[in-house]
Amino acid sequence: MQVLSSQNRAATKQNHTQGKLIVLTGPSGVGKGTLMRTLLQRHPELYYSVSATTRQPRPGEVDGKHYHFIDRNKFEQLVARGEFLEWAEFAGNYYGTPRQAVLNQINSGKSVVLEIELSGARQIRKSFPSAKSIFILPPSLAELEKRIRGRGQDPEDAIARRLHRANEEIQAANEFDIQIINDDFETALNSIETALDNFDTCQDS
Ligand code: ADP
Ligand code: 5GP
């Protein structure tokens, strides 16, 4: 982690205007992607970090926009080259945040939002103590399952893995700076907007 921190500093030390680094986490199906899409439409000044993943694209997902879809071999090469700020295995696939793109944006003064799962959020907290984190909670587990099924894009075994993981993730919600329940969509979105306004800029990128 110390190596990571010094790389981060070296990559950004020439510029004094730092953006904010914001981590958005919550169980699969809670509505993170939907919240993010609306947030980005309303706030084009934010930079959404497009992750790499080994998961298969869902119908309608576009390479380079929703994810960089790559195979496991390529992902492991990128890990070995230190090209991810954080990465994790989730429900049988790898996911990772491209390091340089995020550091460049923060360095140029743009605020960056990472929509990542729990272990990635923990890695970011260690590397960037001034990053701010938001955990999105469902109104209930029954509603969460309904949303995952309603999305209609995950096979049955993936749904089971995601629900199992959801229980673990929800128990960690208190580790995050703030918790927001995504019951009424507009209310949840407004709470995220207020939190983003109040967060400090990133001091350790
Ligand atoms: P995630 O990115 O967290 O996996 P999605 O954004 O794909 O979740 O949302 C899962 C499903 O829940 C989608 O069908 C979405 O339209 C729906 N959804 C999101 N927010 C709400 C909400 N506040 N109330 C009801 N349904 C919602
Ligand atoms: P999905 O397959 O539903 O798109 O994403 C599964 C989980 O992986 C979600 O919780 C999502 O937030 C998380 N995720 C997406 N990109 C990344 C990433 O770059 N790093 C980590 N650690 N998790 C990610």
Side-chain angles (χ1 to χ4, degrees):
M1 281 307 161
Q2 275 183 338
V3 173
L4 189 70
S5 296
S6 64
Q7 280 176 348
N8 294 344
R9 273 194 298 279
T12 59
K13 69 182 176 189
Q14 286 162 0
N15 193 316
H16 301 288
T17 313
Q18 303 285 37
K20 303 177 187 185
L21 180 59
I22 296 125
V23 175
L24 191 77
T25 299
S28 180
V30 75
K32 301 180 299 297
T34 316
L35 286 163
M36 279 297 311
R37 273 193 296 283
T38 315
L39 190 70
L40 292 168
Q41 279 163 11
R42 290 192 194 173
H43 297 274
E45 75 278 10
L46 294 173
Y47 175 82
Y48 173 68
S49 165
V50 179
S51 297
T53 185
T54 60
R55 164 166 83 57
Q56 290 300 306
R58 294 183 181 128
E61 282 185 333
V62 176
D63 187 35
K65 181 176 176 199
H66 299 94
Y67 282 107
H68 301 288
F69 294 100
I70 60 178
D71 64 28
R72 289 181 82 88
N73 197 19
K74 172 82 179 162
F75 194 100
E76 283 162 6
Q77 283 173 20
L78 294 175
V79 170
R81 297 209 310 247
E83 301 221 6
F84 291 122
L85 270 190
E86 61 72 38
W87 65 275
E89 190 161 9
F90 180 94
N93 291 296
Y94 289 137
Y95 296 81
T97 301
R99 170 192 298 281
Q100 205 53 52
V102 169
L103 296 182
N104 289 347
Q105 294 297 326
I106 294 175
N107 189 36
S108 74
K110 216 161 181 184
S111 291
V112 174
V113 187
L114 308 181
E115 193 240 283
I116 59 178
E117 53 67 70
L118 178 61
S119 86
R122 286 175 170 157
Q123 292 170 52
I124 294 291
R125 201 177 304 134
K126 274 197 190 152
S127 320
F128 297 86
S130 69
K132 296 295 177 189
S133 59
I134 302 175
F135 194 92
I136 309 292
L137 286 158
S140 67
L141 282 174
E143 171 65 17
L144 183 68
E145 181 166 357
K146 199 168 131 196
R147 288 185 192 171
I148 295 180
R149 291 188 184 282
R151 184 166 63 187
Q153 289 181 331
D154 295 295
E156 196 58 33
D157 60 333
I159 291 175
R161 281 201 298 271
R162 280 159 193 269
L163 285 172
H164 179 74
R165 181 75 172 245
N167 274 306
E168 289 171 13
E169 296 207 321
I170 287 169
Q171 283 170 32
N174 285 338
E175 293 175 15
F176 288 69
D177 291 310
I178 61 168
Q179 300 79 27
I180 291 172
I181 300 174
N182 182 20
D183 189 355
D184 175 64
F185 186 82
E186 196 56 36
T187 306
L189 195 62
N190 290 340
S191 302
I192 295 175
E193 288 176 307
T194 305
L196 293 187
D197 275 347
N198 292 334
F199 284 157
D200 297 330
T201 54
C202 186
Q203 300 303 317
D204 40 27
S205 61

